[in-house]
Amino acid sequence: MQVSLGAQEIFKLLPHTFVDSSKLPKLFDKGVDLCQPKRAFQVYGCIVTSEDMVEHNDPNEVFDKVNYYAHPERYRPIFHEKVAPYASVIVNCMYWEKRYPRLLTTKQLQDLTRKGCPLVGICDITCDIGGSIEFVNKSTSIDSPLFRYDPSGDSYHDDMEGDGVICLAVDILPTEFAKEASQHFGDVLSYFIGSLASSKDLEDLPVHLKRACIVHKGALTHLYEYIPRMRNSQEVSEDVANFGSYKNRYTMLVSLSGHLFDKFLINEALDIIEAAGGSFHLVKCQVGQCTDSTSYSELEVGADDSVVLDKIVDTLTSIAKPKEGHGIPNGKANMFALKVGEVKDSFVKLGYGSKKNTVLVLGAGRVCQPAVELLASIGSDSSPEWLKSCRIGEFGEQNSIQVIVASLFLKDAEEITEGIPYAIACQLDVMDHDSLYKYIMQVDIVISLLPPSFHSTIANVCIELKKHLVTASYINDSIYKLHEAAKDCGITILGEMGLDPGIDHMMAMKMIDEAHAQGGKIRSFVSNCGGIPSPAAANNPLAYKFSWNPAGAIRAGRNPATYKKDGGIVHVDGDDLYDSATKFRMHDFPAFALEVLPNRNSLTYGDLYGIQNEALTIFRGTLRYEGFGEIMGTLARIGFFESEVSLILTNENKDRATYRTFLFELLKIESRSFDESVKPDKLITEKIIELGFCKENGTAFRTAKAIMFLGFYEETEVPSSCQSAFDVTCLRMEERLAYNTTEQDMVLLYHELVLEFPNGRPTEKHEATLLEFGRTQNGKTISGMALTVGIPVAIGALLLLAGKITSTGVLRPIDAEVYEPALEMLHAYGFNIMEKID
């Protein structure tokens, strides 16, 4: 970033104009200034971001910077298509690692040259040899800063006369001083060189020079002895055979942050640990890059005696947080900021006389916290009373659980584990096979709350190490193909252990198995589920709110659906899904005015539940408040969900459209002819009817209200990150349809079975309903969705740890071995599952 800003500062000394990358083709073709009056000598510049360099492999996915940094393999390079064909000079200031796509490869440059690309120069300021600019194969010097690369012959030359691209790659250029500054620095330094070079004893040097000496007489000086100590510790911890398994009986994870290295506090911390008879292993270390930055280290501290371990932590704490009016021990001034982070008890310090179990939770999203809290409470002072009444009550009394929460971003994991005893946070990239292997090796069971695309990688490591795996995601083909491998090594991969899928499976199979045991036949199976705002929070025209990015929910709401009704098969196209919504009423909850939309392919559940040949109706639906479908359907027809980049987001008068001009474009309203005296909702309603997006005035008016609520009538500029109508709509919905801190969501799951019996027994209708609201616990608001997904996952892990699930291979919770104890625990936990028979 600083390098780029420096390059921009120099560029601004020229007669310049900055343009957006989207304008490069037009600017290049016409050779005119798009932004301001013509100037005699004009240089155009384009500041390129990562969004201009890559795009998602899936054309339906928008660019997400965080996702790209975490998973670059999901993105393909586009810089050579979008920017490089129009560039005369490229100044490369970017940081690059091998796992990211190159900015410009040799082949790409060769192809561009054949097509007449105007590129004449490359200034590779970051100077990664063979890196982001592949053909930059060497660094250059201040005295000889340039070389020429000829792509047509794939050859390099020191002269500047021939064809090709002139390359500047001075690797010390970012630290280059002006000649006058270098001269002054040398003059000042010369006063110290003599005494420094001739000194035989460090004690003879001034304090500031003594502290600056890292090596003296071939050895590290005292202040820098922490380097080999920490390095040796890390090398031990990287030995897979010893990872997480130390000789000490008691261990803790200690986090130190502050000016650890520039103030040499790390030495004192390590001395405290070793002087007390303890040991340490370096888990993580981040060093600040300037004097204003702090550093961070995680140490796993061990001791053979719990008293010794407590003394170490107390001493470190006294340094970090001295009592008011007292300085740091030994009379030192409290001149640095040291913090001892949340110190978590280790696996072996959970309780005496208990068997210790370790659970690794991968992912630190919204559903993680309830699962971690439940698991970490087992065997502790806060162990839940309700557990004693369940089949695993004895396990809970005789066992304790250590939970490790691993996330790509440490901060997310720390937010989850904060305030939860026996839960620790760590940073882990599951695509780093060695690190994933090390963590899974030291635990008893793994829970993955990551997206399904990661599960195959995780499952293969679990199979290799013979560790059970639990997920809340649908079991896809890549996971099911591991069934035999999991069986062969004696482990269980328990998938679909959440809400939907999860609790829906359990409730359905309990009802179906009981009906079959009574000799009944399932003639109709209807299952509806929805995560929606509580009635009090349904306070907008759509009566809906998002607790995550709306993009996924909107796309899911436009998937085609198939179901069985009265013996016939019904197909609903994705474009017609919202219009297929039907009213839904429950006698037990008459105040809920709901509607249901078909949910993808319901027929697969006939096979899964074994009722395909007996049920005439098999339907699974998604619940929303009444009116949601008609508004979303109208918005879809207007074009709010279109993802084509070609949709106009610019106009003649502005570089970026406002939300109002965007809306006017969709509704074909001429801004010049717009009468400000007309009420906006009336104007929008009339245009919706006029253009045939819907026929009913009531629906058009409610849609207009939703459009107004979402802020599409505002004269606010549309952010440049939005490149389509879909992007704009998702952004507005994310901003305007979010829960506030006091609002609750609601989860409603409803099963209805119609049974026929032989021997003239009357037909029966069996109903089962789960209704759960978000809760506030210990000052934290936990959504109903997080509870109903996180708790079943944790229960699945507990059943495996307790040996209550003996089947191996890839499983769903559709067998009595799983669903019976799981439903028992869900009831005991407090989930309100009601059953009735009519």
Side-chain angles (χ1 to χ4, degrees), residues 512 516 522 525 564 605-618:
I512 291 170
H516 286 162
I522 314 298
F525 172 79
K564 192 175 184 180
Y605 289 83
D607 294 325
L608 190 63
Y609 297 160
I611 59 174
Q612 192 71 274
N613 297 328
E614 59 183 288
L616 298 176
T617 296
I618 302 175

Side-chain angles (χ1 to χ4, degrees), residues 646-784:
S646 59
L647 275 175
I648 296 178
L649 293 178
T650 59
N651 58 52
E652 296 177 357
N653 302 318
K654 291 195 173 187
D655 290 337
R656 298 295 304 176
T658 65
Y659 288 110
R660 183 184 297 185
T661 57
F662 165 71
L663 172 64
F664 282 10
E665 175 67 26
L666 290 178
L667 292 178
K668 298 179 173 57
I669 299 173
E670 291 289 339
S671 300
R672 297 173 184 174
S673 61
F674 172 56
D675 186 354
E676 289 285 356
S677 65
V678 179
K679 290 185 177 180
D681 52 358
K682 183 176 184 294
L683 170 70
I684 295 170
T685 302
E686 290 174 350
K687 292 299 292 186
I688 290 174
I689 295 293
E690 176 188 329
L691 296 172
F693 294 130
C694 73
K695 297 179 181 179
E696 298 180 359
N697 281 322
T699 300
F701 180 72
R702 286 189 288 275
T703 304
K705 286 292 187 184
I707 289 172
M708 294 291 294
F709 179 83
L710 292 171
F712 286 113
Y713 196 74
E714 296 175 357
E715 282 284 18
T716 305
E717 191 174 274
V718 176
S720 58
S721 59
C722 296
Q723 295 296 313
S724 69
F726 182 77
D727 295 345
V728 179
T729 305
C730 288
L731 178 63
R732 290 273 88 176
M733 286 186 167
E734 187 174 8
E735 293 171 345
R736 300 300 174 92
L737 300 180
Y739 289 92
N740 66 38
T741 55
T742 61
E743 291 178 331
Q744 292 179 315
D745 70 329
M746 179 176 81
V747 171
L748 180 58
L749 172 60
Y750 171 83
H751 286 337
E752 176 191 281
L753 277 69
V754 177
L755 313 182
E756 286 185 356
F757 294 93
N759 304 322
R761 180 175 169 179
T763 299
E764 293 180 356
K765 183 172 73 171
H766 292 215
E767 295 175 299
T769 306
L770 166 69
L771 178 63
E772 185 64 39
F773 292 89
R775 305 178 184 179
T776 299
Q777 299 175 345
N778 302 321
K780 296 181 180 179
T781 299
I782 304 175
S783 70

Side-chain angles (χ1 to χ4, degrees), residues 58-244:
D58 184 349
N60 295 320
E61 294 288 340
V62 297
F63 176 82
D64 184 294
K65 187 175 181 179
V66 174
N67 181 263
Y68 168 58
Y69 285 168
H71 303 288
E73 72 280 357
R74 299 178 184 176
Y75 292 78
R76 76 171 193 91
I78 59 171
F79 178 80
H80 66 291
E81 301 169 350
K82 188 174 180 180
V83 178
Y86 314 108
S88 299
V89 176
I90 296 174
V91 181
N92 181 31
C93 305
M94 63 181 279
Y95 171 77
W96 183 80
E97 295 178 4
K98 288 184 178 180
R99 62 194 188 107
Y100 295 104
R102 284 186 166 91
L103 185 69
L104 198 60
T105 68
T106 302
K107 185 179 184 306
Q108 288 167 357
L109 177 64
Q110 292 169 347
D111 292 342
L112 289 168
T113 301
R114 283 192 292 269
K115 296 175 183 178
C117 171
L119 186 64
V120 296
I122 293 283
C123 297
D124 193 358
I125 308 299
T126 50
C127 197
D128 295 318
I129 304 304
S132 56
I133 305 291
E134 186 180 21
F135 51 87
V136 175
N137 68 344
K138 63 179 181 179
S139 61
T140 56
S141 66
I142 297 298
D143 294 333
S144 181
L146 305 172
F147 67 87
R148 177 170 58 90
Y149 171 67
D150 184 359
S152 59
D154 192 22
S155 57
Y156 293 86
H157 309 273
D158 292 329
D159 66 90
M160 305 294 111
E161 302 303 323
D163 296 332
V165 179
I166 304 301
C167 301
L168 179 147
V170 180
D171 52 4
I172 63 169
L173 189 60
T175 59
E176 180 80 356
F177 284 101
K179 182 178 180 180
E180 295 81 2
S182 298
Q183 183 66 49
H184 175 72
F185 179 76
D187 291 342
V188 173
L189 185 63
S190 64
Y191 291 106
F192 301 94
I193 294 297
S195 60
L196 181 61
S198 60
S199 177
K200 296 181 180 180
D201 191 339
L202 287 181
E203 300 301 324
D204 297 336
L205 293 176
V207 174
H208 52 280
L209 290 181
K210 177 182 175 182
R211 287 170 59 88
C213 286
I214 300 176
V215 177
H216 182 63
K217 293 184 178 179
L220 288 166
T221 57
H222 173 70
L223 291 176
Y224 296 90
E225 287 178 349
Y226 68 85
I227 296 174
R229 295 165 75 183
M230 297 183 77
R231 181 180 295 165
N232 293 337
S233 163
Q234 194 172 28
E235 288 175 355
V236 171
S237 68
E238 288 178 352
D239 182 354
V240 173
N242 296 322
F243 187 82

Side-chain angles (χ1 to χ4, degrees), residues 2 151 174 301 330 380 475 508 528 546 604 674 703 741 829:
Q2 297 299 325
V301 181
N330 303 324
S380 68
I475 295 173
N528 297 322
F546 296 94
T604 59
F674 172 56
T703 304
T741 55
Y829 180 82

Side-chain angles (χ1 to χ4, degrees), residues 320-332:
K321 301 175 182 178
K323 295 181 180 180
E324 187 173 351
H326 293 77
I328 286 179
N330 303 324
K332 295 182 180 180

Side-chain angles (χ1 to χ4, degrees), residues 240-241 243 360 362 428 432-446 456-469 485-486 488-493:
V240 173
F243 187 82
L360 174 64
L362 300 174
L428 173 65
D432 181 345
H433 180 272
D434 291 343
S435 296
L436 181 65
Y437 187 99
K438 292 173 184 178
Y439 274 95
I440 291 180
M441 188 190 68
Q442 65 172 324
V443 304
D444 298 293
I445 194 167
V446 179
S456 180
T457 299
I458 297 164
N460 276 291
V461 177
C462 287
I463 290 171
E464 186 178 356
L465 295 173
K466 298 183 179 181
K467 307 290 185 179
H468 297 305
L469 172 65
D488 291 344
C489 73
I491 71 160
T492 300
I493 298 176

Side-chain angles (χ1 to χ4, degrees), residues 253-274:
L253 186 69
V254 177
S255 300
L256 305 171
S257 62
H259 290 273
L260 304 179
F261 302 99
D262 52 337
K263 301 296 184 181
F264 301 103
L265 177 62
I266 191 67
N267 287 324
E268 187 163 356
L270 300 184
D271 288 344
I272 288 170
I273 295 169
E274 292 181 339

